[in-house]
Amino acid sequence: MLRKRPTIADVARTAGVSIGTVSNFINGTAALKDGTRDRIEKAVAALMYRPSSFARSLPGRAAQRVKNVDHLPRLLVAGRVSIDFLCRIEVLPHRDDRITASHIEKALGGPAANLAVAAAGVGSPYELDVELATAVGQDAESDWAMVELSKLGVHALPIRSTPNNRLSQAIVIIERNGSRTIISEPFELGEVDLTANLDVQPEQRPACLHIEGFHYETMTASIARFHQAGWKVSLHSAGLPRSARKPEVFAQMVKQIDLTFINDVMIREIYAFGTRMATMIDEVRQMLSRIKPRGTVVLTLGEFGAVVFPATGGPQIEVPALTVNRVDATGAGDSFAGIFLSLWLHGASLETAARYAAIGASLTTTVEGAQGYIADFATLKATASANVVMAS
């Protein structure tokens, strides 16, 4: 019988360390204690482990460090990376119907990965040191995702193995009008994963931990730990658990989080707002004025732009979206948050960050796939200037 090829998980188990630590050893992405390095080297030798060809070709953190990214603001995103299967159809079928898609394409996806890629894509003069703490498997698709993320300026930190030991998958059904339906697999990432794999230390540069709504309840301890180290913490409410979609829980959340992104659908659900948009925005303003102290809250409104409610309690900031031919709205909120964070971490005003984020999110919807249109700052600035000219 053929001997099963050893995996990075086998090395980690034999050496008594985490998968993330072994990954750092292989790619030279972090300094390790001599004892830890020795245990990993012995495990590698005993198991005759060889990284896959994909992993060996990954540029890794060491190559990025040559570019001296240590002086750039640091964004650590915790959450999902997946392989998305994009299905283009006319309209969602009825139950028991059978239809044919115009095409089905494979693309890199996952809310956290989308956000990280958008943040890294902005580039000069708002370059970031972007990392993605996530879970992957030992399959070829996981290797592919790691390589693709590296090409896009995101350093992946595989701090956990997926339960089925393969990359998470999602089906994205895109209708002719740009609406989309997403079906994804369960994905778990919690405080224990960050604690076991990341040594949080104060930074001499702006630093932010970004978490997804999916993981809010399992990462509340991380919020305090990163704050104690002087980091900011941001959150995108997408996937917020049902148990957290309550007024009292939301109020506590915005007290803890420095920067919260939430869309109009979610805020309506939490507070049972059934009014028209302008009235709803005013109801949100009044509700937030009663929560003190709190962080900044960004309410995204899809094709109608966004409203920023500063932590200081100052006047709300309204920014429009671009008028575009919407092809696929998947990942627009992720792009908005990633672009906003890139400017915010460099000290840009909330209004500037929101205006460029709204432009980038709008551009994202003009092509298929959450990462189909990655706008750099030159593109964002040129688009902003062109629209000012058109509006005048």
Side-chain angles (χ1 to χ4, degrees), residues 75-149:
L75 176 61
L76 172 62
V77 183
R80 181 195 302 262
V81 59
S82 66
I83 177 172
D84 288 353
F85 293 97
L86 313 178
C87 309
R88 167 68 68 173
I89 60 175
E90 285 292 307
V91 65
L92 276 178
H94 296 291
R95 181 178 298 167
D96 295 328
D97 280 354
R98 184 184 182 93
I99 63 173
T100 300
S102 63
H103 61 264
I104 301 176
E105 302 286 349
K106 181 181 82 170
L108 188 64
N114 297 338
L115 185 149
V117 167
V122 175
S124 180
Y126 298 104
E127 286 182 284
L128 296 180
D129 178 11
V130 183
E131 298 165 307
L132 174 63
T134 189
V136 296
Q138 289 299 311
D139 59 328
E141 301 289 14
S142 292
D143 290 331
W144 166 77
M146 298 275 283
V147 171
E148 290 302 305
L149 287 168

Side-chain angles (χ1 to χ4, degrees), residues 67-379:
K67 299 178 182 178
N68 190 26
V69 297
D70 287 349
H71 71 287
L72 299 174
R74 183 182 181 187
L75 176 61
L76 172 62
V77 183
R80 181 195 302 262
V81 59
S82 66
I83 177 172
D84 288 353
F85 293 97
L86 313 178
C87 309
R88 167 68 68 173
I89 60 175
E90 285 292 307
V91 65
L92 276 178
H94 296 291
R95 181 178 298 167
D96 295 328
D97 280 354
R98 184 184 182 93
I99 63 173
T100 300
S102 63
H103 61 264
I104 301 176
E105 302 286 349
K106 181 181 82 170
L108 188 64
N114 297 338
L115 185 149
V117 167
V122 175
S124 180
Y126 298 104
E127 286 182 284
L128 296 180
D129 178 11
V130 183
E131 298 165 307
L132 174 63
T134 189
V136 296
Q138 289 299 311
D139 59 328
E141 301 289 14
S142 292
D143 290 331
W144 166 77
M146 298 275 283
V147 171
E148 290 302 305
L149 287 168
S150 181
K151 290 178 182 177
L152 295 169
V154 177
H155 176 55
L157 302 174
I159 61 175
R160 179 174 178 168
S161 293
T162 51
N164 50 18
N165 207 29
R166 63 163 172 75
L167 189 65
S168 176
Q169 298 180 351
I171 298 172
V172 182
I173 303 172
I174 309 165
E175 298 176 69
R176 181 175 56 182
N177 66 359
S179 298
R180 82 277 191 254
T181 301
I182 302 174
I183 306 169
S184 57
E185 295 181 313
F187 184 94
E188 295 183 4
L189 207 62
E191 160 65 17
V192 65
D193 300 307
L194 292 180
T195 300
N197 294 280
L198 298 173
D199 183 20
V200 182
Q201 297 291 339
E203 293 275 353
Q204 299 301 312
R205 53 180 172 165
C208 179
L209 167 70
H210 180 87
I211 60 178
E212 300 177 68
F214 297 96
H215 313 301
Y216 170 65
E217 293 183 328
T218 60
M219 289 192 179
T220 51
S222 289
I223 295 170
R225 190 161 63 93
F226 278 80
H227 274 153
Q228 288 171 2
W231 289 51
K232 299 291 187 181
V233 179
S234 61
L235 177 142
H236 195 301
S237 67
L240 202 62
R242 291 288 177 186
S243 56
R245 299 181 189 185
K246 301 174 182 177
E248 62 275 17
V249 178
F250 179 77
Q252 182 60 35
M253 185 175 73
V254 297
K255 285 183 177 181
Q256 291 178 295
I257 304 296
D258 300 286
L259 180 60
T260 300
F261 299 93
I262 185 166
N263 64 37
D264 58 324
V265 176
M266 182 73 73
I267 202 74
R268 285 183 182 277
E269 178 182 341
I270 294 173
Y271 285 92
F273 292 145
T275 52
R276 298 176 67 177
M277 184 170 293
T279 304
M280 181 269 292
I281 292 172
D282 191 57
E283 290 173 328
V284 172
R285 180 190 61 77
Q286 293 180 47
M287 174 269 295
L288 291 174
S289 70
R290 296 190 290 269
I291 304 174
K292 299 177 180 179
R294 63 167 174 82
T296 293
V297 176
V298 181
L299 175 64
T300 55
L301 306 171
E303 60 187 303
F304 299 104
V307 182
V308 182
F309 300 92
T312 59
Q316 67 195 43
I317 302 165
E318 300 183 12
V319 297
L322 292 180
T323 300
V324 296
N325 179 26
R326 189 174 73 163
V327 174
D328 177 13
T330 307
D334 304 325
S335 294
F336 182 101
I339 294 168
F340 191 108
L341 284 166
S342 69
L343 274 74
W344 182 66
L345 284 170
H346 274 274
S349 70
L350 294 175
E351 180 175 3
T352 299
R355 287 194 181 281
Y356 284 116
I359 291 171
S362 297
L363 294 174
T364 298
T365 69
T366 62
V367 297
E368 279 191 11
Q371 298 176 27
Y373 195 126
I374 303 169
D376 60 15
F377 186 70
T379 300

